[in-house]
Amino acid sequence: MVGKGIHIEGLKKRYGSGDTAVEALKNVDMEVAPGEVVGLIGPSGSGKSTLLKCLGAVIEPTAGRMILGDEVIYNNGWKVTDLRALRRDKIGFIFQAPYLIPFLDVTDNVALLPMLAGKPNAEARQRARELFKDLDMEHRAKAMPSQLSGGEQQRVAIARGLVNRPPVILADEPTAPLDSERALAVIRILNDMARKFETAIIVVTHDEKIIPTFKRIYNIRDGVTYEEAGEGRDFELKYK
Amino acid sequence: MISLAGRDIMHAWGKFVFTGVGLGLLIGITLSMAGIYRGMVDDGKALLDNSGADLWVVQKDTLGPYAEPSSIYDDVWRGIRSIPGVARTANVTYLTMQVRQGERDVRTMVTGVTAGEPGTPGWPPYLVAGRQITRGHYEAVADIASGFKLGDRLQIRRNQYIVVGLTRRMVSSGGDPMVFIPLKDAQEAQFLKDNDAIRQQRRRTTANPAFNRPQVPGLLDAVIASQSINPYVNAVLVQIAAGHDVDEVAASIRRWKRLTVHTRSQMEVILIGKLIATSAKQIAMFLVILSVVSSAIVAFIIYTLTLGKIREIAVLKLIGTKNRTIIGLIMQQSIALGLIGFVVGKITATLLMAPIFPKYVLLEPLDSILGFVAVVVICILASIIAIRAALKVDPAEAIGG
């Protein structure tokens, strides 16, 4: 699916009211093009998770404007009625831990999303298998999550994030539990997939190993984002 | 769409099956309790059916002969027999006692039946072995549940009886097997005193100046003679002639003989509504308690299983799973647990518990259907707590920070 990336203007989020109000996001501007992978870094409590939750349509911002793909989803109020369907169809999530469904095999873990969107089981599984080819996971398609290594589980989680061809993927510390080699492999996959599916990907991270790989980085401090140029260091690693 | 509940169950089938078996044992006990109640009712009905009577004539203003003591003269039957609409009458006595056989004794209901032929009211309607009583004394027909065999010698009071026939499902309303003996023997057994008591009674009568009058020779002997016989029976069983109305005949007997007459439907009310009412309430209470315990167990198990999947549920919600899919996941698991439990419970109650219970356990198909519906309803209700917990899960929990 050809998307138009992520566009955020003046996004604010306040928790509470009156004297106890906390301004978690004061003024966030972001732009991520289709096919681009950007890093979102910042110290603890800076507002990274709040921004991710707003982008993920899990919590409602206080003010601002968000465009995901070709759709204005928020403009000082939600512009979509079914946030659940928005999350399912327009946003891919990759978490710190893979959080695979332990009672589904690898194929059905990935195929579940298209199935939830109403796709026939056979078509959903076919989509999953196609992604496994790209991720070099074909040989593990029938395995249960408990039979996979940490890196393999994270690749399945990436496939799950991509399977509905969302214009946007939000990755929350996707390399945190992995060693350097596997962490860089995951970033490589994300870059490849972003280019292949023209998906805009935001990677929230503290991981010093992968920060040099981003061409652009958003640094968030006290609820305000600052755009920085990244090193965009190239690397060649096989997926593990 | 794949069945998430089915996959989860298959993934951890051992845990599910063992939990279901545990629940099944509880359901088995519940079904057995219902079966015991049905058995008690059936025992009562069997007692009425097997007596072969349409009417029970008993002492005035009593609920005899089963629910209250009743005593009427043993020649009352003649007058009743002459009332229009009465086809047959027979005296009967009932006495619940321990019957000795060798070294053991068995609690039985000793029934005194009048001489006659098969089909006479009070007689066992069929035998499974041996023959009916043909002699006037010291023969017995026993229910097979008593454990007596043909040729066994039974001790009832001071007399010995030979078992000449065996019957089946002839039990008292309390489930005690019946032993049939000739009426005269039963009358004697009912009021028979020991030798010391007889001597004591004679001494007292002799010492009483009202009975021992020198001017009236023979009075004392007559009084003592009258004290040594028992001219009473507990009831007269009546069969109605074809074409006559039971209530009309009963009304005639009440009017002319001034005795209480119970019809079949009245006897059912007395037996089921009064005689076993307390036991039935106890069983009902057990059923309620067991149902509550079963509900609590299912609720706890499903709640625990759901809590174990909170992170997965948060992920499912975050990736767009509808609430009804999550509700379906939990409710289907709960119902599946109930189904496993019901199947195990039904097998346990039918094959394991019913044969070993000392009381008759009657498992009726309708009770099984009702039990099945109750299990499903209980499982649905029990899953509500887990469903509430799952629906409260914030999808944001899947995102760290």
Side-chain angles (χ1 to χ4, degrees):
Chain A
M1 169 174 178
V2 178
K4 290 177 182 165
I6 302 166
H7 179 82
I8 301 172
E9 281 174 29
L11 198 71
K12 294 180 172 60
K13 174 63 186 174
R14 184 192 308 119
Y15 290 110
S17 59
D19 294 341
T20 57
V22 175
E23 294 277 348
L25 299 178
K26 289 173 184 164
N27 185 23
V28 171
D29 296 314
M30 278 183 96
E31 189 81 43
V32 185
E36 187 182 18
V37 180
V38 302
L40 177 63
I41 62 172
S44 293
S46 58
K48 295 191 302 295
S49 290
T50 301
L51 176 57
L52 216 58
K53 286 171 188 172
C54 289
L55 272 168
V58 176
I59 59 171
E60 185 172 2
T62 311
R65 180 177 155 88
M66 291 194 294
I67 301 170
L68 296 188
D70 52 5
E71 189 174 8
V72 178
I73 65 160
Y74 186 85
N75 191 1
N76 295 319
W78 289 118
K79 296 296 164 190
V80 285
T81 49
D82 190 351
L83 296 178
R84 208 180 280 267
L86 172 77
R87 289 199 299 267
R88 186 187 63 214
D89 301 332
K90 296 283 175 76
I91 306 168
F93 293 94
I94 300 167
F95 311 106
Q96 188 169 338
Y99 296 143
L100 301 178
I101 310 297
F103 50 83
L104 296 181
D105 67 21
V106 164
T107 304
D108 282 344
N109 255 286
V110 176
L112 181 62
L113 262 86
M115 287 176 188
L116 289 171
K119 297 275 184 266
N121 291 1
E123 186 185 330
R125 289 190 177 117
Q126 181 57 33
R127 275 198 194 187
R129 281 192 284 269
E130 283 167 11
L131 277 167
F132 291 151
K133 242 184 248 177
D134 292 332
L135 296 168
D136 194 20
M137 282 288 291
E138 278 174 297
H139 62 294
R140 306 295 268 156
K142 290 286 168 201
M144 297 303 284
S146 59
Q147 297 169 319
L148 302 181
S149 69
E152 286 174 329
Q153 287 189 21
Q154 199 59 306
R155 269 187 274 165
V156 177
I158 291 170
R160 184 174 62 187
L162 285 163
V163 71
N164 271 348
R165 308 281 193 271
V168 170
I169 285 185
L170 305 176
D172 182 22
E173 308 241 21
T175 61
L178 305 177
D179 59 32
S180 299
E181 198 176 344
R182 286 186 174 83
L184 289 170
V186 165
I187 293 302
R188 176 64 185 250
I189 292 168
L190 290 178
N191 275 288
D192 288 352
M193 296 299 129
R195 276 194 294 274
K196 179 168 182 178
F197 298 114
E198 296 198 25
T199 307
I201 300 180
I202 296 176
V203 179
V204 175
T205 187
H206 280 111
D207 193 344
E208 297 292 336
K209 304 185 290 282
I210 64 165
I211 289 173
T213 66
F214 299 116
K215 288 185 179 136
R216 279 198 313 132
I217 292 169
Y218 283 94
N219 196 337
I220 186 166
R221 290 194 297 272
D222 298 328
V224 180
T225 46
Y226 302 92
E227 188 180 345
E228 297 171 1
E231 293 178 36
R233 195 181 293 168
D234 204 4
F235 55 92
E236 278 297 331
L237 280 169
K238 280 196 179 288
Y239 306 150
K240 296 277 173 149
Chain B
M1 181 67 190
I2 53 177
S3 164
L4 293 175
R7 294 297 186 86
D8 193 14
I9 291 168
M10 291 309 293
H11 182 245
W13 66 268
K15 184 167 67 177
F16 246 86
V17 167
F18 279 115
T19 309
V21 167
L23 182 66
L25 294 175
L26 202 59
I27 292 171
I29 293 170
T30 310
L31 288 174
S32 296
M33 294 303 286
I36 288 170
Y37 170 71
R38 292 290 182 202
M40 287 168 69
V41 172
D42 198 67
D43 282 349
K45 286 183 178 172
L47 176 62
L48 300 181
D49 288 340
N50 295 334
S51 68
D54 299 313
L55 296 173
W56 284 256
V57 181
V58 297
Q59 185 180 335
K60 195 168 174 61
D61 299 329
T62 70
L63 298 176
Y66 310 118
E68 285 181 1
S70 160
S71 197
I72 56 176
Y73 282 107
D74 60 4
D75 56 358
V76 167
W77 67 273
R78 295 175 201 276
I80 296 169
R81 177 69 187 81
S82 65
I83 290 175
V86 173
R88 294 170 101 173
T89 57
N91 284 328
V92 69
T93 64
Y94 297 104
L95 173 63
T96 299
M97 63 180 294
Q98 298 294 122
V99 171
R100 294 198 65 80
Q101 189 264 318
E103 291 300 306
R104 70 187 182 114
D105 57 8
V106 179
R107 185 146 194 88
T108 61
M109 186 159 87
V110 175
T111 305
V113 291
T114 192
E117 60 197 28
T120 303
W123 276 47
Y126 62 91
L127 299 179
V128 293
R131 59 169 174 80
Q132 295 279 8
I133 296 167
T134 54
R135 292 166 56 191
H137 292 285
Y138 312 129
E139 284 188 346
V141 170
D143 185 273
I144 203 160
S146 64
F148 299 140
K149 296 181 184 66
L150 289 179
D152 278 355
R153 286 184 171 276
L154 311 182
Q155 178 90 31
I156 298 174
R157 301 284 193 209
R158 281 194 299 237
N159 299 322
Q160 288 203 334
Y161 297 79
I162 294 176
V163 177
V164 295
L166 294 173
T167 184
R168 191 190 294 277
R169 282 297 292 145
M170 299 294 290
V171 291
S172 73
S173 59
D176 298 324
M178 291 167 93
V179 171
F180 297 86
I181 61 172
L183 181 74
K184 286 290 172 195
D185 291 350
Q187 282 178 291
E188 183 190 347
Q190 246 182 346
F191 296 100
L192 187 64
K193 297 183 179 73
D194 60 80
N195 290 341
D196 288 338
I198 291 169
R199 275 198 292 274
Q200 176 77 355
Q201 187 183 42
R202 285 179 182 169
R203 265 202 303 275
R204 284 167 178 266
T205 306
T206 305
N208 188 332
F211 299 138
N212 192 3
R213 296 181 188 175
Q215 311 93 305
V216 188
L219 175 61
L220 180 63
D221 292 338
V223 170
I224 288 173
S226 73
Q227 287 173 340
S228 62
I229 58 161
N230 169 24
Y232 298 102
V233 292
N234 297 129
V236 174
L237 304 177
V238 176
Q239 284 178 351
I240 303 294
H244 285 81
D245 182 69
V246 171
D247 291 319
E248 282 178 13
V249 176
S252 290
I253 298 171
R254 283 186 202 108
R255 181 179 177 191
W256 297 111
K257 305 309 295 180
R258 291 191 212 116
L259 292 167
T260 292
V261 184
H262 300 299
T263 62
R264 164 74 197 227
S265 56
Q266 287 168 335
M267 284 305 286
E268 276 195 24
V269 171
I270 291 168
L271 280 177
I272 297 159
K274 299 184 192 303
L275 194 58
I276 63 169
T278 308
S279 303
K281 280 178 196 162
Q282 273 184 323
I283 288 172
M285 278 307 297
F286 268 116
L287 282 175
V288 169
I289 291 166
L290 287 169
S291 301
V292 170
V293 171
S294 304
S295 308
I297 288 173
V298 175
F300 178 74
I301 291 166
I302 293 297
Y303 185 66
T304 309
L305 288 174
T306 305
L307 286 188
K309 289 196 284 278
I310 283 295
R311 186 63 95 164
E312 284 81 6
I313 288 169
V315 172
L316 284 171
K317 289 176 96 171
L318 186 68
I319 64 178
T321 308
K322 289 176 180 162
N323 279 346
R324 69 164 182 264
T325 306
I326 293 166
I327 292 170
L329 163 70
I330 296 168
M331 200 171 274
Q332 285 166 29
Q333 285 188 339
S334 184
I335 292 171
L337 197 61
L339 291 180
I340 295 170
F342 181 80
V343 170
V344 173
K346 177 73 180 151
I347 291 169
T348 307
T350 309
L351 300 180
L352 296 179
M353 291 182 182
I356 61 169
F357 261 92
K359 278 218 164 238
Y360 179 52
V361 180
L362 178 62
L363 298 164
E364 292 193 341
L366 182 63
D367 288 341
S368 296
I369 293 167
L370 287 174
F372 176 76
V373 172
V375 166
V376 171
V377 170
I378 284 171
C379 287
I380 290 171
L381 292 176
S383 66
I384 287 174
I385 301 168
I387 287 169
R388 277 171 60 90
L391 294 184
K392 275 186 190 167
V393 173
D394 187 354
E397 282 183 31
I399 299 175

